[in-house]
Amino acid sequence: MPQAAPVKSPRTPTLPAAQVAELDAAVADLRTGARTWSHLTLDQRARLLGRLHASVSAVAEEWADVAATSKGLEPGHPLRGEEWLSGPYATLVALDAYRRTLQALARGESPLKGVKTDAAPGGRLRAHVFPLSPVDGVLLSGYTGEIWFEPGATESEVRAGAGLAQLTPTEPGGVGLVLGAGNVTSIPVLDVLYELLAHNRVSLLKVNPTQDSVVPVFERALAPLIEPGFLRIVRGGGDVGGYLTGHRGIDHVHITGAATTFDAIVWGPSSGPASGATTRRRRENRPKLAKPITAELGGVSPIIVVPGEWSEADLAFQAEHVATMRLQNSGHNCIAGQVVLLSSDWPQREEFLAALRAALDAAPARPVWYPHGDEKLAAAASDYPDAEWCGDGTRALIEVAPGEAAEALENTEYFAPVLGVVALAGDGQEFLDRAVAHANDELAGSLGANVLIDPVTQAALGDDFERAIADLRYGTVSINSWTAFGFLTPTLPWGGFPGATVQNVESGIGVVHNALLVDRIERAVTRGPFRPFPRSLAPAALSRSRGRSFSVLPKPPWFVTSRTGTAVSEGFTRFRMDGDYGRLAATLVRAFRA
């Protein structure tokens, strides 16, 4: 097929002419590729994802190695398993889930066929979308995932609409620009897949400079998309992104990043000579960006600890859980827990804080690697001079007493190992309702919220607990399971709570992942075991947990304190690559040594 003529941007570029020509040619290739995509049948698209599964599997080990090394995790470091899970594993399970969706649609079936639905609080419908296979139930024993739909959405509407753009596969969605995240290597790939399958949109992926070292891996992993013109990958900084967002050949922009970057794209710079024009545009609601944009942005994620009667082992396990929420990827996560909402009336408050300090101290040392991370730590030290510095001195623990100012902690996404504890009065339902209101009203963003509650207390609260969960205005709510589990589960949607606008973007607009391609989504809800194996076998846990507490995992492999996390994370990924049950059995043995 002859190459289409370059589609040039009307802007005067500040880039070298050769680079401009290269970018224009990439956009032109994609406009041809968009037409090619519209001619593929659903069955052909499913087979294409099968080829992608093979090409990702072929580079998975190199992918994890390059990503870990780029973050300062040298061979032998106990946390290198993070890069297996957040890179190739997340990509492989997404490819499998999307392929099953396409195969169902090709048979004339809804992707939700066989998925259980029931009622959620507030007149909502929910779908139980994890686990959907026995393998999922084995690998992630005790974890479940639900999609809650908008109030008023009916089961017939949801099932009929499942498939999104794949219900009209011949309608092209144009060319999208994906401005890739710089912190987690699977995010750019997953965003490209969602553009293609949810919107029939081929993508120009601009990789964040922090991931330049992974680009050769991406090029081989995604060759089945690159060869037919469904994807082009380019490097560059803000100047390249600025040129491409204004390119007339780009129909849509998607960004994973910070709200400040989003605002600069949509409205213009907030400082310098052009800031006055930016202020006028915002006041007059005249965005600088003249095309649609979606976004997944960060925020300040709460960890609500509901008071209960916890054993010493409970305190230690959940303290490690909280430490993981903050320290995974050195805190450079949009879903990192940042503010622990803790009852000032809980008799075990000081015991829990002691266990939390111990967990922060005990986690393996690692670099604060993301650009400007040291500046974020310095800002926290300036904001809170009395902060405790744990471990290797890079982990801040900030306690805010009742009545003390917490504005900086609650409105600054530090994107570094900074964990705050904010005291709220109350016990039981009173505390939970106060914490929910505080999270909704005082903390920046709406991406994810975490709730830790023992099964006895949850059973005592009954339906009021579920009502409180419904009141949380977050895109993912995780009960006894970190919101990262929602990120890793492809059948769940990922994004901020609905209602954000370009004027007030909160944690973003739209969703990604969502491999069942369902519409009218309000949120995802995940649930995990309060107690790991073997304590999950205790009669009280089984009888009072409504079936949600049992687990055969001694410790999840993503815990920063897991002794076998790297081996188990690699083993889980290799099983997703080849389906070898013999090797999986050996991996599960390692999991029991965590």
Side-chain angles (χ1 to χ4, degrees), residues 444-471:
S446 63
L447 185 61
N450 309 275
V451 181
L452 303 181
I453 184 170
D454 68 90
V456 173
T457 301
Q458 183 176 345
L461 298 183
D463 292 341
D464 282 340
F465 175 77
E466 293 295 316
R467 187 263 307 155
I469 296 304
D471 288 342

Side-chain angles (χ1 to χ4, degrees), residues 290-575:
K291 58 191 67 171
I293 183 170
T294 52
E296 188 265 280
L297 311 173
V300 176
S301 292
I303 306 167
I304 299 173
V305 179
V306 182
E309 188 174 337
W310 294 12
S311 69
E312 186 176 339
D314 293 337
L315 292 166
F317 179 78
Q318 293 301 343
E320 292 179 25
H321 198 178
V322 172
T324 295
M325 295 181 195
R326 181 69 265 183
L327 298 182
Q328 201 271 355
N329 199 24
S330 201
H332 308 312
N333 287 331
C334 59
I335 49 173
Q338 182 165 305
V339 174
V340 180
L341 298 178
L342 197 61
S343 171
S344 57
D345 299 319
W346 187 25
Q348 294 182 287
R349 170 188 170 83
E350 294 306 320
E351 291 179 78
F352 178 76
L353 287 174
L356 182 56
R357 291 186 191 97
L360 292 172
D361 279 329
R366 64 178 304 159
V368 177
W369 65 270
Y370 203 77
H372 309 296
D374 290 342
E375 297 172 23
K376 297 294 183 69
L377 292 178
S382 175
D383 294 334
Y384 298 96
D386 295 332
E388 296 181 59
W389 292 89
C390 305
D392 57 358
T394 65
R395 301 161 187 178
L397 180 62
I398 300 165
E399 289 188 57
V400 180
E404 290 186 0
E407 285 85 357
L409 184 64
E410 295 182 335
N411 290 282
T412 305
E413 183 188 11
Y414 284 109
F415 214 68
V418 176
L419 182 65
V421 179
V422 172
L424 299 175
D427 196 3
Q429 193 69 46
E430 177 193 12
F431 168 80
L432 178 57
D433 290 342
R434 182 172 287 125
V436 166
H438 191 92
N440 286 340
D441 299 337
E442 304 299 332
L443 273 59
S446 63
L447 185 61
N450 309 275
V451 181
L452 303 181
I453 184 170
D454 68 90
V456 173
T457 301
Q458 183 176 345
L461 298 183
D463 292 341
D464 282 340
F465 175 77
E466 293 295 316
R467 187 263 307 155
I469 296 304
D471 288 342
L472 274 167
R473 297 193 297 270
Y474 286 84
T476 296
V477 178
S478 291
I479 304 158
N480 294 331
S481 62
W482 181 25
T483 48
F485 172 72
F487 172 89
L488 281 175
T489 304
T491 50
L492 291 172
W494 183 251
F497 195 74
T501 66
V502 293
Q503 284 279 11
N504 182 24
V505 72
E506 290 280 335
S507 288
I509 298 171
V511 300
V512 290
H513 304 186
N514 183 28
L516 295 171
L517 300 179
V518 296
D519 202 2
R520 303 202 56 187
I521 293 166
E522 182 185 66
R523 76 183 82 197
V525 174
T526 73
R527 304 176 195 263
F530 179 76
R531 297 183 175 96
F533 183 88
R535 291 187 301 115
S536 60
L537 293 175
L542 293 175
S543 63
R544 300 181 186 179
S545 64
R546 300 183 181 180
R548 291 174 181 155
S549 187
F550 175 73
S551 176
V552 297
L553 286 174
K555 187 177 291 186
W558 55 82
F559 266 43
V560 293
T561 50
S562 173
R563 291 180 295 178
T564 61
T566 294
V568 173
S569 298
E570 178 181 348
F572 280 6
T573 307
R574 291 192 182 279
F575 176 74

